[in-house]
Coordinates of all heavy atoms in Angstrom, one line a residue:
M359 N -23.4 -32.8 -13.1 CA -22.7 -32.7 -11.8 C -21.3 -32.2 -12.0 O -20.7 -32.5 -13.0 CB -22.6 -34.1 -11.2 CG -21.8 -34.2 -10.0 SD -21.9 -35.8 -9.2 CE -20.6 -36.6 -10.0
R360 N -20.9 -31.4 -11.1 CA -19.5 -30.9 -11.2 C -18.9 -31.0 -9.8 O -19.6 -30.8 -8.8 CB -19.5 -29.4 -11.6 CG -18.2 -28.9 -12.1 CD -18.4 -27.6 -12.9 NE -18.7 -26.5 -12.0 CZ -17.7 -25.8 -11.4 NH1 -16.5 -26.1 -11.5 NH2 -18.1 -24.8 -10.6
L361 N -17.6 -31.4 -9.8 CA -16.9 -31.6 -8.5 C -16.0 -30.5 -8.3 O -15.2 -30.1 -9.2 CB -16.1 -32.9 -8.6 CG -17.0 -34.2 -8.8 CD1 -16.1 -35.3 -9.1 CD2 -17.8 -34.4 -7.6
V362 N -16.0 -30.0 -7.1 CA -15.0 -28.9 -6.7 C -14.3 -29.3 -5.4 O -14.9 -29.7 -4.5 CB -15.8 -27.6 -6.5 CG1 -14.8 -26.5 -6.1 CG2 -16.5 -27.1 -7.7
V363 N -13.0 -29.2 -5.5 CA -12.2 -29.4 -4.3 C -11.7 -28.0 -3.8 O -11.0 -27.3 -4.6 CB -11.0 -30.3 -4.6 CG1 -10.1 -30.5 -3.3 CG2 -11.4 -31.7 -5.1
D364 N -12.0 -27.7 -2.6 CA -11.5 -26.5 -2.0 C -10.1 -26.7 -1.6 O -9.8 -27.3 -0.6 CB -12.4 -26.1 -0.8 CG -12.0 -24.7 -0.3 OD1 -10.9 -24.3 -0.4 OD2 -12.9 -24.0 0.3
L365 N -9.2 -26.1 -2.4 CA -7.7 -26.3 -2.1 C -7.2 -25.6 -0.8 O -6.2 -26.0 -0.3 CB -6.9 -25.9 -3.3 CG -7.3 -26.7 -4.6 CD1 -6.4 -26.1 -5.8 CD2 -7.1 -28.2 -4.5
D366 N -8.0 -24.7 -0.3 CA -7.7 -24.1 0.9 C -8.0 -25.0 2.1 O -7.4 -24.9 3.2 CB -8.4 -22.8 1.1 CG -7.9 -21.7 0.2 OD1 -6.7 -21.7 -0.2 OD2 -8.7 -20.8 -0.2
L367 N -8.9 -26.0 1.9 CA -9.2 -26.9 2.9 C -8.5 -28.2 2.8 O -8.2 -28.9 3.8 CB -10.7 -27.2 2.9 CG -11.7 -26.0 3.3 CD1 -13.1 -26.4 3.1 CD2 -11.4 -25.5 4.7
C368 N -8.3 -28.7 1.6 CA -7.7 -30.0 1.4 C -6.4 -30.2 2.1 O -5.5 -29.3 2.1 CB -7.5 -30.2 -0.1 SG -6.7 -31.8 -0.5
I369 N -6.2 -31.3 2.8 CA -4.9 -31.6 3.5 C -4.2 -32.7 2.9 O -3.2 -33.2 3.4 CB -5.2 -31.9 5.0 CG1 -6.2 -33.1 5.1 CG2 -5.7 -30.7 5.8 CD1 -6.4 -33.6 6.6
G370 N -4.7 -33.1 1.7 CA -4.0 -34.1 0.9 C -4.0 -35.5 1.5 O -3.1 -36.3 1.2
C371 N -5.0 -35.9 2.3 CA -5.0 -37.2 2.9 C -5.2 -38.3 1.9 O -4.8 -39.4 2.2 CB -6.1 -37.2 4.0 SG -7.7 -37.2 3.3
G372 N -5.8 -38.0 0.8 CA -5.9 -39.0 -0.3 C -7.1 -39.9 -0.2 O -7.2 -40.9 -1.0
V373 N -7.9 -39.7 0.8 CA -9.1 -40.6 0.9 C -10.0 -40.6 -0.3 O -10.5 -41.6 -0.8 CB -9.9 -40.2 2.2 CG1 -11.3 -40.9 2.2 CG2 -9.1 -40.6 3.4
C374 N -10.1 -39.4 -0.9 CA -11.0 -39.3 -2.1 C -10.4 -40.1 -3.3 O -11.2 -40.8 -4.0 CB -11.2 -37.8 -2.5 SG -9.6 -36.9 -2.7
E375 N -9.1 -40.0 -3.4 CA -8.5 -40.8 -4.5 C -8.6 -42.3 -4.3 O -8.9 -43.1 -5.2 CB -7.0 -40.4 -4.6 CG -6.3 -41.0 -5.8 CD -4.9 -40.6 -5.9 OE1 -4.2 -40.6 -4.8 OE2 -4.4 -40.3 -7.0
Q376 N -8.5 -42.7 -3.0 CA -8.6 -44.1 -2.7 C -10.1 -44.6 -3.0 O -10.3 -45.7 -3.5 CB -8.3 -44.4 -1.2 CG -6.9 -44.4 -0.9 CD -6.6 -44.4 0.6 OE1 -7.4 -44.9 1.4 NE2 -5.5 -43.8 1.0
E377 N -11.0 -43.7 -2.6 CA -12.4 -44.1 -2.7 C -12.9 -44.0 -4.1 O -13.7 -44.8 -4.5 CB -13.2 -43.1 -1.8 CG -14.7 -43.5 -1.6 CD -14.9 -44.8 -0.9 OE1 -14.0 -45.2 -0.1 OE2 -15.9 -45.5 -1.1
C378 N -12.4 -43.1 -4.9 CA -12.9 -42.8 -6.2 C -11.8 -42.3 -7.1 O -11.8 -41.2 -7.6 CB -14.0 -41.7 -6.0 SG -15.1 -41.6 -7.3
P379 N -10.9 -43.3 -7.5 CA -9.8 -42.9 -8.3 C -10.2 -42.4 -9.8 O -9.4 -41.8 -10.5 CB -8.9 -44.1 -8.4 CG -9.8 -45.2 -8.0 CD -10.8 -44.7 -7.1
E380 N -11.4 -42.8 -10.1 CA -11.9 -42.3 -11.5 C -12.1 -40.8 -11.5 O -12.1 -40.2 -12.5 CB -13.2 -43.0 -11.8 CG -13.2 -44.5 -11.9 CD -13.5 -45.1 -10.6 OE1 -13.4 -44.5 -9.5 OE2 -14.0 -46.3 -10.6
L381 N -12.3 -40.2 -10.3 CA -12.7 -38.8 -10.3 C -11.6 -37.9 -9.6 O -11.6 -36.7 -9.8 CB -14.0 -38.6 -9.5 CG -15.2 -39.2 -10.2 CD1 -16.4 -39.0 -9.3 CD2 -15.4 -38.7 -11.6
F382 N -10.8 -38.5 -8.7 CA -9.9 -37.6 -7.9 C -8.5 -38.1 -8.0 O -8.2 -39.3 -8.1 CB -10.3 -37.6 -6.4 CG -11.7 -37.0 -6.2 CD1 -12.7 -37.8 -6.0 CD2 -11.9 -35.6 -6.1 CE1 -14.0 -37.3 -5.8 CE2 -13.1 -35.1 -5.9 CZ -14.2 -36.0 -5.7
E383 N -7.6 -37.1 -8.0 CA -6.2 -37.5 -8.0 C -5.4 -36.5 -7.2 O -5.7 -35.3 -7.2 CB -5.7 -37.3 -9.5 CG -4.2 -37.8 -9.7 CD -3.9 -37.8 -11.2 OE1 -3.6 -36.7 -11.7 OE2 -4.0 -38.8 -11.9
V384 N -4.6 -37.0 -6.3 CA -3.7 -36.1 -5.5 C -2.5 -35.8 -6.4 O -1.7 -36.6 -6.8 CB -3.3 -36.8 -4.2 CG1 -2.4 -35.8 -3.4 CG2 -4.5 -37.1 -3.3
G385 N -2.4 -34.5 -6.7 CA -1.3 -34.0 -7.6 C 0.0 -33.8 -7.0 O 0.2 -34.1 -5.8
D386 N 0.9 -33.4 -7.8 CA 2.3 -33.1 -7.3 C 2.3 -32.0 -6.2 O 3.2 -31.9 -5.4 CB 3.2 -32.6 -8.5 CG 3.4 -33.8 -9.4 OD1 3.3 -34.9 -9.0 OD2 3.8 -33.5 -10.6
D387 N 1.2 -31.2 -6.2 CA 1.1 -30.2 -5.2 C 0.6 -30.7 -3.9 O 0.5 -30.0 -2.9 CB 0.2 -29.0 -5.7 CG -1.2 -29.5 -6.0 OD1 -1.5 -30.8 -5.9 OD2 -2.0 -28.7 -6.5
G388 N 0.4 -32.0 -3.8 CA -0.1 -32.7 -2.6 C -1.5 -32.4 -2.3 O -2.0 -32.8 -1.2
L389 N -2.3 -31.9 -3.2 CA -3.7 -31.6 -3.0 C -4.5 -32.4 -4.0 O -4.0 -32.7 -5.1 CB -3.9 -30.1 -3.1 CG -3.1 -29.2 -2.2 CD1 -3.3 -27.7 -2.5 CD2 -3.5 -29.5 -0.7
A390 N -5.8 -32.6 -3.7 CA -6.6 -33.3 -4.6 C -7.2 -32.5 -5.7 O -7.5 -31.3 -5.5 CB -7.8 -34.0 -3.8
H391 N -7.4 -33.1 -6.8 CA -8.0 -32.4 -8.0 C -9.0 -33.3 -8.6 O -8.8 -34.5 -8.7 CB -6.9 -32.0 -9.0 CG -5.9 -31.1 -8.4 ND1 -6.0 -29.7 -8.4 CD2 -4.7 -31.4 -7.8 CE1 -5.0 -29.2 -7.8 NE2 -4.1 -30.2 -7.4
A392 N -10.1 -32.7 -9.0 CA -11.1 -33.5 -9.8 C -10.5 -33.7 -11.2 O -10.1 -32.7 -11.8 CB -12.4 -32.7 -9.8
I393 N -10.5 -34.9 -11.7 CA -9.9 -35.2 -13.0 C -10.9 -35.4 -14.1 O -10.6 -35.6 -15.2 CB -8.9 -36.3 -12.9 CG1 -9.6 -37.6 -12.3 CG2 -7.7 -36.0 -12.1 CD1 -8.7 -38.8 -12.4
V394 N -12.2 -35.3 -13.7 CA -13.3 -35.4 -14.7 C -14.2 -34.2 -14.6 O -14.6 -33.9 -13.5 CB -14.1 -36.7 -14.6 CG1 -15.2 -36.8 -15.6 CG2 -13.2 -37.9 -14.7
D395 N -14.4 -33.5 -15.7 CA -15.2 -32.3 -15.6 C -16.7 -32.5 -15.3 O -17.3 -31.9 -14.5 CB -15.1 -31.5 -16.9 CG -13.9 -30.7 -17.0 OD1 -13.3 -30.4 -15.9 OD2 -13.4 -30.3 -18.1
D396 N -17.2 -33.5 -16.0 CA -18.7 -33.7 -15.9 C -19.0 -35.2 -15.8 O -19.3 -35.8 -16.8 CB -19.3 -33.1 -17.2 CG -20.8 -33.1 -17.1 OD1 -21.4 -33.3 -16.0 OD2 -21.5 -33.0 -18.2
P397 N -18.8 -35.8 -14.6 CA -18.9 -37.2 -14.5 C -20.3 -37.7 -14.8 O -21.3 -37.0 -14.5 CB -18.6 -37.5 -13.0 CG -18.1 -36.2 -12.5 CD -18.5 -35.1 -13.4
G398 N -20.4 -38.9 -15.4 CA -21.7 -39.5 -15.7 C -22.4 -40.1 -14.4 O -21.7 -40.2 -13.4
P399 N -23.6 -40.4 -14.5 CA -24.4 -40.9 -13.4 C -23.8 -42.1 -12.7 O -24.0 -42.4 -11.5 CB -25.8 -41.3 -14.0 CG -25.8 -40.7 -15.4 CD -24.4 -40.3 -15.8
E400 N -23.0 -42.9 -13.5 CA -22.5 -44.1 -12.9 C -21.4 -43.8 -11.8 O -21.0 -44.7 -11.1 CB -21.9 -45.0 -14.0 CG -20.6 -44.5 -14.6 CD -20.8 -43.4 -15.7 OE1 -21.9 -43.0 -15.9 OE2 -19.8 -43.0 -16.3
L401 N -21.0 -42.6 -11.8 CA -20.0 -42.2 -10.8 C -20.5 -41.3 -9.7 O -19.8 -40.9 -8.8 CB -18.8 -41.4 -11.5 CG -18.0 -42.2 -12.5 CD1 -17.0 -41.3 -13.3 CD2 -17.2 -43.3 -11.7
F402 N -21.8 -41.1 -9.6 CA -22.4 -40.3 -8.6 C -22.2 -40.9 -7.2 O -21.9 -40.2 -6.3 CB -23.9 -40.1 -8.8 CG -24.3 -39.1 -10.0 CD1 -23.3 -38.7 -10.8 CD2 -25.6 -38.7 -10.1 CE1 -23.6 -37.8 -11.8 CE2 -25.9 -37.8 -11.2 CZ -24.9 -37.3 -12.0
D403 N -22.4 -42.2 -7.1 CA -22.3 -42.9 -5.8 C -20.8 -42.7 -5.2 O -20.6 -42.4 -4.1 CB -22.6 -44.3 -5.8 CG -24.1 -44.6 -5.9 OD1 -24.8 -43.6 -5.8 OD2 -24.5 -45.7 -6.1
C404 N -19.9 -42.9 -6.2 CA -18.5 -42.8 -5.8 C -18.2 -41.4 -5.4 O -17.5 -41.2 -4.4 CB -17.8 -43.3 -7.1 SG -16.1 -43.1 -7.1
A405 N -18.7 -40.4 -6.1 CA -18.4 -39.0 -5.8 C -19.0 -38.7 -4.5 O -18.4 -38.0 -3.6 CB -19.0 -38.1 -6.9
G406 N -20.2 -39.2 -4.2 CA -20.9 -38.9 -2.9 C -20.1 -39.5 -1.8 O -20.0 -38.9 -0.7
A407 N -19.6 -40.7 -2.0 CA -18.8 -41.4 -0.9 C -17.5 -40.5 -0.6 O -17.2 -40.3 0.5 CB -18.4 -42.8 -1.3
A408 N -16.9 -40.1 -1.6 CA -15.7 -39.3 -1.4 C -16.0 -38.0 -0.7 O -15.3 -37.6 0.2 CB -15.0 -38.9 -2.8
E409 N -17.1 -37.4 -1.1 CA -17.5 -36.1 -0.4 C -17.8 -36.4 1.1 O -17.3 -35.6 1.9 CB -18.8 -35.6 -1.1 CG -19.3 -34.3 -0.4 CD -20.8 -34.0 -0.8 OE1 -21.5 -35.0 -1.0 OE2 -21.1 -32.8 -0.9
E410 N -18.4 -37.5 1.4 CA -18.8 -37.8 2.8 C -17.5 -38.1 3.6 O -17.4 -37.8 4.8 CB -19.7 -39.0 2.8 CG -21.1 -38.5 3.1 CD -22.1 -39.7 3.0 OE1 -21.8 -40.8 3.7 OE2 -23.1 -39.6 2.4
L411 N -16.6 -38.8 2.9 CA -15.4 -39.3 3.7 C -14.3 -38.3 3.9 O -13.4 -38.5 4.7 CB -14.9 -40.6 3.0 CG -15.8 -41.8 3.1 CD1 -15.3 -42.9 2.2 CD2 -15.9 -42.3 4.5
C412 N -14.3 -37.3 3.1 CA -13.3 -36.2 3.2 C -13.3 -35.7 4.6 O -14.3 -35.1 5.0 CB -13.5 -35.1 2.2 SG -12.2 -33.8 2.4
P413 N -12.2 -35.8 5.3 CA -12.2 -35.4 6.8 C -12.3 -33.9 7.0 O -12.7 -33.5 8.1 CB -10.8 -35.9 7.3 CG -10.0 -36.0 6.1 CD -10.9 -36.3 4.9
V414 N -12.1 -33.1 6.0 CA -12.2 -31.6 6.1 C -13.3 -31.0 5.3 O -13.3 -29.8 5.1 CB -10.8 -31.0 5.9 CG1 -9.8 -31.4 6.9 CG2 -10.3 -31.3 4.5
D415 N -14.1 -31.9 4.7 CA -15.3 -31.4 3.9 C -14.8 -30.4 2.8 O -15.4 -29.4 2.5 CB -16.3 -30.6 4.8 CG -17.1 -31.6 5.6 OD1 -17.2 -32.8 5.3 OD2 -17.6 -31.2 6.7
A416 N -13.7 -30.8 2.1 CA -13.2 -30.0 1.1 C -13.9 -30.2 -0.3 O -13.7 -29.5 -1.2 CB -11.7 -30.3 0.9
I417 N -14.7 -31.3 -0.4 CA -15.3 -31.7 -1.7 C -16.7 -31.2 -1.7 O -17.5 -31.5 -0.8 CB -15.2 -33.2 -1.9 CG1 -13.8 -33.6 -1.9 CG2 -15.9 -33.6 -3.2 CD1 -13.6 -35.1 -1.9
S418 N -17.1 -30.5 -2.8 CA -18.4 -30.1 -3.0 C -18.9 -30.7 -4.4 O -18.2 -30.8 -5.3 CB -18.5 -28.6 -3.2 OG -18.1 -27.9 -2.0
I419 N -20.2 -31.1 -4.3 CA -20.8 -31.6 -5.6 C -21.8 -30.6 -6.0 O -22.8 -30.3 -5.2 CB -21.4 -33.0 -5.3 CG1 -20.4 -34.0 -4.9 CG2 -22.1 -33.5 -6.6 CD1 -20.9 -35.4 -4.5
L420 N -21.7 -30.1 -7.1 CA -22.6 -29.0 -7.6 C -23.5 -29.5 -8.7 O -23.1 -30.4 -9.5 CB -21.8 -27.8 -8.1 CG -20.7 -27.3 -7.2 CD1 -19.9 -26.2 -7.8 CD2 -21.3 -26.8 -5.9
G421 N -24.6 -28.9 -8.8 CA -25.5 -29.2 -9.9 C -26.1 -30.6 -9.9 O -26.3 -31.1 -11.0
E422 N -26.4 -31.2 -8.8 CA -27.0 -32.5 -8.7 C -28.4 -32.4 -9.2 O -29.1 -31.5 -8.9 CB -27.0 -33.0 -7.3 CG -25.6 -33.6 -6.9 CD -25.6 -34.2 -5.5 OE1 -25.6 -33.4 -4.6 OE2 -25.6 -35.4 -5.4
Ligands
LIG397 FE1 -8.1 -33.5 0.2 FE2 -10.3 -34.4 1.2 FE3 -9.3 -35.6 -0.8 S1 -8.5 -33.6 2.3 S2 -7.1 -35.4 -0.6 S3 -10.1 -33.6 -0.8 S4 -10.3 -36.6 0.9

């Protein structure tokens, strides 16, 4: 699994980081970044929740 944040869409609301701090961090640029390249299965639920809750659909989960 790979996580991609579309930085053109992200508005920096921070919901992904709140929901899943193991995988997302809002950086100094005010935008979210995936902080783990290849998360293990134990983080799939968390990643899925962040993807669903992002208000602008900026998060994509690839290679499921
Ligand atoms: Fe950005 Fe969506 Fe996270 S707007 S900060 S990727 S919840």
Side-chain angles (χ1 to χ4, degrees):
M359 176 175 86
R360 200 162 71 84
L361 299 168
V362 176
V363 178
D364 186 333
L365 299 179
D366 290 332
L367 293 177
C368 176
I369 55 172
C371 70
V373 168
C374 54
E375 187 182 42
Q376 282 168 31
E377 190 63 28
C378 199
E380 298 92 337
L381 295 179
F382 298 97
E383 187 174 82
V384 177
D386 292 340
D387 57 2
L389 302 173
H391 300 275
I393 54 175
V394 179
D395 277 341
D396 188 14
E400 73 281 4
L401 292 172
F402 284 10
D403 284 352
C404 173
E409 179 195 32
E410 259 177 45
L411 290 171
C412 175
V414 294
D415 287 334
I417 298 170
S418 300
I419 300 177
L420 307 177
E422 279 182 286

